[in-house]
Structures are given as C-alpha cells and as structure tokens.
Amino acid sequence: PVPITGRIVRYPQRQRSVTMGLVERESLAAATPSTIWDTCFAHMKWELWDPDVERMEDVDEGKGLVEGTTATFIMKKESGGGRLPITVVDLVEHKKFTFKGSIMGGLLKFIGTIVLEEKGDDDTLVKYTFGMTGLVGTIFSAFNSKAVVGGTENGLANIVKLSEEAQKK
C-alpha cells in the first residue's frame, strides 16, 4: 500500500445507525474524473489501489465497470483471506458507483461507494465510503475498526496517487 501523503483530508468516522458504522473519507486529487475512472476503476483491476485485495476474479473484461457488473475480490491473507463476491450498482460513469456483497448467508455484508466531484479544470474531490453490516460484519467492524479505517484511507490515498500520476502523462 501507498502511504497516506499529499492532500488527504481526514474526517472522524461517523455512525449512520446503531448497527452500521461507515468509514467516510475524501481527498482532493489533481486529476479529472475521467482520468480517475479510467485509471482506477474501469478495467476492474482494483488490486492496484485497494490494499486488501490480492486480485479480482470472475471479471468480464470486455464489459469492464458498468451497472450490474459482478466480480469476486480475492482478499489478501493478512486481510482475512477468502473470496468476496460483489455487484456494482448505482453507477453513473465518471461520477459514482457502489459495490456491495455478502457472505456467510448474509451474516457479513459490505458496501462501498465512490463519488467523484469535479472541482475546477483538473481537480476532483474523491469520496470513498465503506462499511460492514450483518451480525458478523458489525462485530468484525467493531473489533477491527483500525483495519477497516486503514484500508479505506490507504485505498483512497492509492486512488489519488495513481490518478495524479496518470494525469501528468
């Protein structure tokens, strides 16, 4: 993972409800929304920016990131290992999308949302929200909040770094 550097803006974790803790982070990237989208998301190789993902499987590379896309996160051993199937919803190209999934019969559910807000000619505010729900997800988040927060922050920092490097090319 890339260390958090640059223009990361940190906000305290906010609770959305008693059963669901969402980690919400945002950062300004010196890159356009289309550069961020094409560099980090469109090709479905999220292991390039997500520090917890070893690789993606079950990806239709011909389709890429579109509404209804499905894939499987193969998690790194130090991030719990295992396979996490996801579905992409609420997608507006170059603007936002949500990925969500569940395992263990719904006892562990997770949801992540990326929102890209254009701020001037070549700057974009990148918002990344991630959380877990369900009986196991809520307990996992509570006992591993440092890892969940760190994964979200490092993922965001990597998105910004990769996008800014691509924008300079």
Side-chain angles (χ1 to χ4, degrees):
V2 176
I4 296 176
T5 60
R7 300 181 302 198
I8 285 285
V9 178
R10 294 179 189 235
Y11 292 95
Q13 181 176 355
R14 290 181 261 171
Q15 297 293 326
R16 293 278 179 157
S17 70
V18 174
T19 59
M20 181 173 167
L22 287 177
V23 179
E24 298 175 325
R25 297 294 185 266
E26 60 185 38
S27 182
L28 190 64
T32 63
S34 61
T35 296
I36 296 168
W37 192 271
D38 295 343
T39 301
C40 297
F41 310 123
H43 49 64
M44 297 295 293
K45 294 191 182 300
W46 295 359
E47 65 272 16
L48 298 175
W49 62 267
D50 189 320
D52 297 316
V53 175
E54 181 178 312
R55 68 183 181 280
M56 301 284 287
E57 288 186 354
D58 308 320
V59 174
D60 183 345
E61 294 183 21
K63 252 178 29 175
L65 182 65
V66 296
E67 180 74 23
T69 292
T70 59
T72 303
F73 291 148
I74 305 302
M75 305 304 291
K76 292 180 178 174
K77 289 193 188 321
E78 61 270 20
S79 297
R83 301 172 57 85
L84 301 178
I86 65 157
T87 301
V88 175
V89 298
D90 300 327
L91 182 141
V92 177
E93 190 173 20
H94 298 163
K95 293 192 182 296
K96 69 175 186 163
F97 68 91
T98 296
F99 62 92
K100 62 183 186 173
S102 68
I103 57 173
M104 297 189 277
L107 293 175
L108 189 152
K109 299 176 186 175
F110 56 92
I111 186 166
T113 300
I114 301 282
V115 176
L116 306 176
E117 292 180 11
E118 197 168 349
K119 299 286 183 186
D121 291 338
D122 290 328
D123 287 338
T124 303
L125 183 64
V126 182
K127 296 180 179 182
Y128 184 19
T129 304
F130 182 81
M132 294 184 195
T133 62
L135 179 64
V136 174
T138 303
I139 293 169
F140 181 87
S141 287
F143 286 99
N144 295 289
S145 62
K146 185 176 180 181
V148 174
V149 170
T152 305
E153 290 178 348
N154 286 331
L156 177 60
N158 291 339
I159 290 167
V160 169
K161 182 176 191 285
L162 290 167
S163 299
E164 289 180 341
E165 289 172 353
Q167 187 72 35
K168 291 177 186 175
K169 292 182 182 177

